[in-house]
Amino acid sequence: MSDEQLRPDRIMEIANGYWATGVLGVAARYSVFTHLEAGVDTAEALAAKTGLAERGTQTLLDALVGLGLVQVRDGYRNSPEASAFLVDGEPASLVGYAGLKLGEMVKMTVLPEVFSGGGPLTEPMVEVVDNPHWEHVVPAIAAQSVPVAHTAAKLLKLADAGAISILDVGGGSGIFSGTWLAANPAAHATQLDWAPINAIARRLVGPEVADRFDFIDGDFHTVELAAAAYDVIVYSHVAHQEGPQDNAANFLKLRAALKPGGTLVICDYVVDDDRGGPPFALAFASEMLLKSRKGGTWRRADYTAWLQAAGFTDVSFHLTPSPTTIVLAR
């Protein structure tokens, strides 16, 4: 491409990316997409519903149109994406996640020091057991795992698996166990996580599966697991918080807890071996640099090496309708 053909548009969009984070976060906080879904289709009517100033509402709608999340068709309408993922109360709603990211924008000001120092400047958020932040974070990030949990259930044919035993390591909101128990009424699940996080999951889990869902309070690095006790173990969005040696040790421990023929299910943002993509996985490593001592996003080759060293002989990678990759190890 010649210099005459080059344009600065994409660089300007990247440099001003905080506009998108801010606009989406404000729209989520004021339930803009929920009101649009209900048929509120003018700036005046939306201002009245949200309490936002009319000028602010019009500016917000214009920005959302620019982002492709709102369409102008005889008034304002949600895009299909917004209807699917930004309406309050829906299982896959990312409204809480959008609000969470709005609140985290202030943390970006320390990134030069984080990159130059190679890690967080304060105690890493993801490594603090009694962090009050969990009350907001755990429910906010739960919805992003909904499509992944359904994809994994299909890959494992869980609905027809019968009376299986599931261990959910670092399960957070319990979305995986809850989804899988709903799909298989004969299954039983146990979540191993810190006590404050398990307390949140107990509140979030549906009553229809609560009698088949148990909890172990503790640190999965130190809690002893019964040998050959589980048919399926899920390790979802834990690997990116752990360093290479920790992941290798965890996989060895989890291998011993699986029954013969059992499956370890890893869900995370996985990087291509040549570090050429995917874009989300590559960029997410920056968040772990900011929030953890050893975390990052790891290559397919890393997972394969760790899992084979732990005794797994069948390792496969599966894409999902999200930036998350599922790794199945048997």
Side-chain angles (χ1 to χ4, degrees), residues 81 84-85 92 94 143-155 176 237 267-269 318-326:
E81 266 183 325
F85 301 113
L94 295 172
Q144 63 185 294
S145 291
V146 171
V148 182
H150 283 291
T151 300
K154 291 177 182 177
L155 288 170
F176 267 85
H237 292 291
C267 302
D268 223 304
Y269 309 126
H318 307 266
L319 300 179
T320 72
S322 83
T324 298
T325 296
I326 293 173

Side-chain angles (χ1 to χ4, degrees), residues 215-238:
F215 296 87
I216 299 174
D217 293 339
D219 186 329
F220 60 79
H221 298 97
T222 56
V223 170
E224 292 188 12
L225 300 175
Y230 301 98
D231 297 286
V232 179
I233 298 177
V234 59
Y235 186 84
S236 179
H237 292 291
V238 177

Side-chain angles (χ1 to χ4, degrees), residues 30-271:
Y30 285 92
S31 299
V32 167
F33 302 103
T34 304
H35 291 306
L36 290 173
E37 196 72 10
V40 180
D41 62 358
T42 68
E44 295 82 2
L46 189 59
K49 282 285 187 181
T50 61
L52 292 167
E54 191 170 318
R55 180 189 177 203
T57 304
Q58 184 62 65
T59 303
L60 184 59
L61 285 169
D62 289 343
L64 293 171
V65 171
L67 292 172
L69 294 174
V70 171
Q71 301 170 344
V72 183
R73 291 197 326 267
D74 297 323
Y76 292 100
R77 302 281 186 275
N78 282 331
S79 70
E81 266 183 325
S83 290
F85 301 113
L86 290 169
V87 175
D88 293 319
E90 295 298 321
S93 174
L94 295 172
V95 166
Y97 183 72
L100 176 70
K101 291 302 174 183
L102 175 65
E104 291 190 339
M105 288 177 69
V106 67
K107 297 178 183 178
M108 299 298 102
T109 59
V110 301
L111 282 184
E113 291 78 16
V114 169
F115 278 93
S116 65
L121 303 183
T122 59
E123 191 171 15
M125 186 203 80
V126 299
E127 298 168 21
V128 179
V129 178
D130 294 318
N131 193 333
H133 197 46
W134 293 128
E135 284 288 344
H136 183 44
V137 172
V138 172
I141 64 176
Q144 63 185 294
S145 291
V146 171
V148 182
H150 283 291
T151 300
K154 291 177 182 177
L155 288 170
L156 295 169
K157 300 179 180 179
L158 286 183
D160 302 316
I164 60 170
S165 179
I166 300 163
L167 176 65
D168 194 345
V169 177
S173 65
I175 195 70
F176 267 85
S177 292
T179 300
W180 290 358
L181 293 176
N184 181 343
H188 183 278
T190 302
Q191 175 163 306
L192 169 55
D193 212 327
W194 289 327
I197 295 178
N198 278 342
I200 297 169
R202 286 186 178 94
R203 298 199 304 268
L204 296 176
V205 66
E208 66 278 4
V209 302
D211 61 336
R212 294 182 286 123
F213 196 1
D214 294 329
F215 296 87
I216 299 174
D217 293 339
D219 186 329
F220 60 79
H221 298 97
T222 56
V223 170
E224 292 188 12
L225 300 175
Y230 301 98
D231 297 286
V232 179
I233 298 177
V234 59
Y235 186 84
S236 179
H237 292 291
V238 177
H240 66 240
Q241 299 180 21
E242 302 283 294
Q245 292 182 339
D246 297 313
N247 279 318
N250 292 339
F251 294 158
L252 184 64
K253 180 177 181 177
L254 297 179
R255 176 70 180 83
L258 278 170
K259 294 178 182 178
T263 304
L264 174 61
V265 181
I266 303 162
C267 302
D268 223 304
Y269 309 126
V270 179
V271 174

Side-chain angles (χ1 to χ4, degrees), residues 304-318:
T304 300
W306 298 331
L307 290 165
Q308 288 179 346
F312 293 95
T313 57
D314 181 4
V315 180
S316 59
F317 297 82
H318 307 266

